[in-house]
Amino acid sequence: MSGRGTCRRLSVDDFRHEAHRVLASTNSECLARARAGDSGFLWLTAESQTGGRGRRGRTWVSEPGNLYASLLLVDAAPMEHISSLPLAVALAVHDAIRAVLPADAPPLEIKWPNDILIGRAKTCGILLEGEALPDGRHAIAIGIGINIVRKPEGTAYPVTSLVEHGVAVSPEELFARLFSSMAEVLNLWDAGRGTAAVVERWRRHACGIGEKITVNLPDRSISGYFAGIDDKGYLLLDRGPEGQMAITAGDVFFG
């Protein structure tokens, strides 16, 4: 995938991993490595973060016991295909959690585009950040924080942790599963050429199709019914007489 348009099957051997005790932010460190010339396929994990963040600049609590990881990709795909990458990442995280979650646990679902829910409560935060590099390359840091034993307080939505569902797993073991599942899903995505396959698989795990939702955009909130996703992975909001609209980014709330 390194180099736009390159068609080569990835294996876990293509990825590197550095484990750290503390980092300010695994995403920030990944982007710094890219600026310094790193070619990508680099995983960074930390036992804790001092400056973790979520979408729209929100603070992300990063205490020891959970998994904090970022993957650096460089020239992952032509820019017109990048919009489907969050869906692929969600599938990889879903597969890693599914492997350790008991069979009798509440449903494990994906809320558009890449929130992983157990029984409608969020258990994972995923943040993709892109940056154009001075040498013409484009870097993407894929940050993933999974609540294993801890969860944030005072959130605007229900949250949970794996331990609440009977999971006893270390961050290292869960990361090993994520390391493998990400390589498999990025092969499926195939630098955007496999978007249709990713979209089809994502739909099988989708949360809330047909339900009423509100989508918070930077400048307004829009309500309607979640009609699924289109072939590019955009959210389809059914607004009744006003028709359907495709949404490329936003925060989704049910009800």
Side-chain angles (χ1 to χ4, degrees), residues 8-217:
R8 180 176 66 82
R9 184 163 182 82
L10 293 170
S11 77
V12 291
D13 294 333
D14 291 308
F15 296 83
R16 294 164 291 139
H17 173 220
E18 289 183 14
H20 297 262
R21 189 177 68 82
V22 179
L23 286 174
S25 160
T26 53
N27 259 23
S28 293
E29 182 63 22
C30 275
L31 293 174
R33 298 293 185 89
R35 290 183 214 113
D38 196 284
S39 60
F41 298 118
L42 172 65
W43 279 103
L44 297 178
T45 56
E47 294 177 23
S48 64
Q49 298 179 112
T50 58
R53 58 186 180 275
R55 286 198 295 268
R56 305 189 191 282
R58 301 185 185 104
T59 299
W60 183 264
V61 178
S62 307
E63 298 178 354
N66 292 342
L67 175 60
Y68 311 110
S70 290
L71 172 62
L72 172 65
L73 298 179
V74 176
D75 287 344
M79 293 307 296
E80 63 266 25
H81 295 315
I82 292 297
S83 62
S84 61
L85 179 56
L87 306 183
V89 172
L91 289 176
V93 177
H94 179 279
D95 289 352
I97 294 176
R98 176 76 276 167
V100 300
L101 198 65
D104 60 352
L108 179 66
E109 300 172 300
I110 305 173
K111 186 183 78 170
W112 186 87
N114 54 16
D115 281 345
I116 310 300
L117 309 183
I118 302 175
R120 294 294 177 99
K122 184 174 178 176
T123 191
C124 175
I126 299 174
L127 176 65
L128 279 73
E129 296 182 298
E131 183 174 310
L133 302 174
D135 61 6
R137 299 179 303 150
H138 189 268
I140 296 177
I142 302 169
I144 299 166
I146 302 177
N147 301 335
I148 299 178
V149 298
R150 302 176 186 273
K151 64 183 183 181
E153 303 294 335
T155 60
Y157 43 81
V159 293
T160 189
S161 61
L162 296 185
V163 71
E164 291 180 339
H165 299 283
V167 176
V169 65
S170 67
E172 293 78 14
E173 180 184 346
L174 186 58
F175 174 70
R177 295 185 181 278
L178 177 61
F179 190 91
S180 177
S181 65
M182 188 67 74
E184 186 272 325
V185 170
L186 287 179
N187 269 317
L188 179 69
W189 184 61
D190 191 20
R193 288 177 286 263
T195 294
V198 166
V199 166
E200 191 278 330
R201 186 162 151 186
W202 191 98
R203 286 171 174 149
R204 297 203 299 265
H205 305 297
C207 176
I209 291 179
E211 295 184 22
K212 187 175 182 179
I213 62 172
T214 297
V215 183
N216 288 347
L217 305 176

Side-chain angles (χ1 to χ4, degrees), residues 235-255:
L235 181 146
L236 295 175
L237 186 67
D238 184 353
R239 305 186 70 196
E242 298 179 51
Q244 282 191 357
M245 65 180 298
I247 296 175
T248 59
D251 290 333
V252 175
F253 292 87
F254 291 100

